[in-house]
């Protein structure tokens, strides 16, 4: 084989290798883009499902915490993808998941705070109901129970206030995700507003309880 023929074959061979490399790179890019889009869409849909279950009021604090942890895992998984492959979707999905995680985490905190506030109010009421049998340490215990009830209701009020704020801000992340991924299920606007109002009402009720406990006169 003469030198010219060998050179020609070598050039063709190198061109073939180059084409295969380019094709492989393109296929890899397509796969990574598809992986990112799948992760963003499925995790956002799952986050919405968890928000809806939380909004139903049937989930206890432990279940709400599980939901928050699951969404946090979605965030970690999404952030491991090559976000540059579909930047607009990646950024909006990340914002949405961050919002959902904060809502679920605060709902779990509010559920725990509600239980603590209810228990401390009942403990105080039961102690006062036994005022006729009070001994030397009765008033000290009453003051301690009153202080605890006030503190627990303050924590509940704070949690509900934070939740109301989060539901208010959630509309922005919903709108942004809807613009780039209209097929992803989201909480209906009327329900979002209702959930915000519920949190605000609970915050006001807790404030009333705090004032009632604070001004409560103890038997002497």
């Amino acid at each position: 084989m003469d030198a010219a023929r060998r050179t020609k074959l070598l050039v063709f061979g190198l061109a073939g290798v180059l084409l295969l490399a380019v094709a492989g790179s393109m296929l890899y890019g397509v796969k990574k883009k598809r992986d990112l889009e799948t992760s963003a869409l499925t995790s956002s849909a799952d986050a919405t499902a968890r928000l809806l279950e939380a909004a139903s009021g049937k989930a206890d604090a432990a279940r709400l915490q599980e939901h928050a942890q699951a969404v946090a895992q979605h965030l970690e998984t999404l952030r491991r993808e090559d976000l540059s492959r579909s930047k607009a979707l990646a950024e909006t999905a990340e914002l949405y998941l961050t919002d959902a995680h904060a809502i679920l985490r605060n709902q779990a905190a509010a559920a725990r705070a509600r239980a603590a506030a209810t228990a401390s109010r009942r403990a105080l009421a039961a102690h006062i109901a036994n005022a006729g049998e009070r001994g030397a340490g009765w008033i000290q215990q009453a003051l301690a129970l009153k202080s605890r009830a006030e503190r627990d209701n303050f924590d509940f009020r704070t949690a509900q206030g934070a939740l109301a704020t989060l539901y208010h801000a959630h509309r922005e992340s919903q709108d942004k995700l809807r613009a780039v991924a209209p097929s992803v299920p989201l909480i209906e606007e009327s329900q979002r507003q209702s959930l915000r109002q519920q949190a605000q009402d609970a915050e006001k009720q807790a404030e009333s309880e705090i004032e009632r406990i604070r001004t409560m006169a103890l038997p002497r």
Side-chain angles (χ1 to χ4, degrees), residues 97-117:
L97 291 173
T98 299
D99 265 12
H101 176 249
I103 289 171
L104 291 166
R105 185 182 59 197
N106 275 270
Q107 281 185 313
R112 290 191 295 269
R114 183 193 294 274

Side-chain angles (χ1 to χ4, degrees), residues 79-137:
R79 288 166 178 167
R80 286 197 295 268
E81 300 289 347
D82 183 355
L83 304 188
S84 65
R85 300 288 178 178
S86 187
K87 189 174 180 181
L89 175 60
E91 288 180 347
T92 52
E94 183 177 10
L95 175 62
Y96 182 77
L97 291 173
T98 299
D99 265 12
H101 176 249
I103 289 171
L104 291 166
R105 185 182 59 197
N106 275 270
Q107 281 185 313
R112 290 191 295 269
R114 183 193 294 274
T118 300
S120 61
R121 289 198 307 270
R122 288 175 178 172
L124 176 60
H127 187 70
I128 292 175
N130 292 324
E133 304 175 6
R134 60 183 179 272

Side-chain angles (χ1 to χ4, degrees), residues 123-197:
L124 176 60
H127 187 70
I128 292 175
N130 292 324
E133 304 175 6
R134 60 183 179 272
W138 186 90
I139 190 63
Q140 287 79 10
Q141 186 177 359
L143 289 170
L145 288 170
K146 183 179 179 183
S147 177
R148 179 178 177 182
E150 185 178 338
R151 182 179 66 252
D152 288 346
N153 280 272
F154 177 84
D155 290 343
F156 178 59
R157 185 195 68 180
T158 301
Q160 289 295 333
L163 199 53
T165 299
L166 287 168
Y167 273 123
H168 175 69
H170 190 50
R171 179 176 180 176
E172 180 182 356
S173 64
Q174 285 185 306
D175 288 346
K176 288 183 177 180
L177 183 59
R178 188 180 290 110
V180 297
S183 64
V184 174
L186 301 172
I187 291 178
E188 295 292 336
E189 176 60 14
S190 59
Q191 187 175 17
R192 183 195 65 82
Q193 292 179 1
S194 176
L195 290 167
R196 182 194 178 198
Q197 187 61 54

Side-chain angles (χ1 to χ4, degrees), residues 1 14 26 91 161 183 211 215:
M1 183 183 298
L14 289 174
M26 290 177 64
E91 288 180 347
S183 64
E211 186 60 25
T215 58

